[in-house]
């Protein structure tokens, strides 16, 4: 009866013949089994960056393979939530490079050039030593308006929408949200803008967990059992900005 109601929503009705509903049910069951046996296998990817033993790289819903081919894939999990941050590329690499060089290819801009190169190098993190999972790079300076955020955005636009690849302010996200944010992009660099007023203990924990490549272990109550929840991981060098040097704040934690 439920099947008949659903089919009527699509203006499909059974005949008045005897056992028509039974025959319709049998037909649909057979067809569903046929589809299950013949449908192409589809894998949903839940993080961007490297996949399949670093043989392919996911940007948005585009999976780039080592032979140069690109195919659309299904994206789920946190990656689906952040899909709009990595839209289909527009413009050209040459046009992007021209604009970048106009700003930064000049004397006195070597620190900015290093920041840009470090952004690009984040995607190579999985190819480093197995103990290395990335480090947080903080761009600091005593005054606002010196171009700290701008240079980070300039590099991030090589990957996608820089505004959606960043978290703003010390109140812009909870600590767990920061970990989920990094986990979604996995190897693609992200920006945590303006951490000047982030509490010292949170800054210390964040820096440490980034270097470990995973969030702290948590427990999950499921099906009347207490189990370890799935830990989120990444291999990247995320970026942050601050108006003051954060070394002193870190050093003050337990005088260590």
């Amino acid at each position: 009866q439920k099947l008949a109601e659903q089919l009527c929503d699509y203006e499909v009705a059974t005949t008045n013949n005897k056992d028509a509903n039974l025959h319709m049910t049998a037909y649909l069951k057979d067809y569903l089994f046929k589809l299950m046996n013949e449908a192409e296998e589809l894998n949903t990817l839940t993080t961007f960056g490297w996949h399949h033993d670093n043989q392919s790289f996911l940007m948005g819903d585009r999976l780039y393979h080592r032979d140069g081919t690109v195919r659309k894939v299904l994206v789920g999990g946190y990656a689906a939530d952040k899909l709009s941050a990595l839209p289909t590329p527009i413009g050209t690499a040459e046009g992007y490079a021209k604009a970048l060089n106009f700003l930064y290819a000049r004397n006195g801009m070597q620190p900015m050039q290093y920041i840009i190169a470090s952004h690009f190098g984040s995607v190579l993190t999985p190819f480093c030593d197995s103990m290395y999972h990335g480090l947080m790079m903080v761009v600091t300076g005593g005054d606002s308006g010196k171009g700290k955020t701008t240079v980070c955005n300039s590099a991030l636009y090589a990957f996608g929408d820089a505004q959606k690849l960043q978290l703003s302010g010390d109140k812009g996200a909870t600590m767990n949200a920061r970990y989920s944010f990094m986990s979604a992009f996995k190897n693609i660099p992200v920006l945590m803008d303006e951490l000047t007023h982030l509490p010292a203990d949170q800054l210390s924990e964040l820096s440490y967990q980034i270097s470990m490549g995973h969030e702290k272990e948590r427990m999950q109550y499921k099906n009347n059992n207490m189990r370890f929840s799935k830990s989120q991981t990444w291999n990247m060098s995320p970026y942050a900005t601050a108006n003051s040097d954060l070394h002193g704040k870190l050093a003050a934690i337990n005088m260590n």
Side-chain angles (χ1 to χ4, degrees), residues 161-224:
D161 186 341
Q163 302 303 309
K164 296 181 180 180
L165 287 169
Q166 65 179 273
L167 300 172
S168 299
D170 58 293
K171 303 292 186 183
T174 65
M175 198 62 70
N176 286 339
R178 294 183 190 276
Y179 296 145
S180 298
F181 192 67
M182 290 188 294
S183 173
F185 294 103
K186 197 167 75 167
N187 313 120
I188 299 170
V190 297
L191 169 63
M192 301 182 195
D193 197 29
E194 190 49 69
L195 295 184
T196 306
H197 302 295
L198 187 71
D201 58 335
Q202 293 185 28
L203 176 64
S204 177
E205 179 189 341
L206 179 63
S207 304
Y208 180 71
Q209 295 300 150
I210 287 173
S211 70
M212 295 296 291
H214 61 82
E215 64 175 339
K216 60 184 178 182
E217 295 286 354
R218 291 182 293 173
M219 302 300 292
Q220 181 182 39
Y221 189 74
K222 189 175 182 180
N223 297 331
N224 297 322

Side-chain angles (χ1 to χ4, degrees), residues 135-140 195 203 207 238-242 244 246-247:
L135 293 172
M136 180 166 65
M137 179 181 180
V138 185
V139 186
T140 63
L195 295 184
L203 176 64
S207 304
Y239 292 81
T241 64
S244 61
L246 300 183
H247 288 95

Side-chain angles (χ1 to χ4, degrees), residues 50 52 54-57 63-71:
W50 292 103
H52 308 122
N54 299 335
Q55 299 299 302
S56 58
F57 196 92
L63 189 65
Y64 294 81
H65 297 272
R66 63 179 299 175
D67 62 2
T69 59
V70 183
R71 67 183 178 96

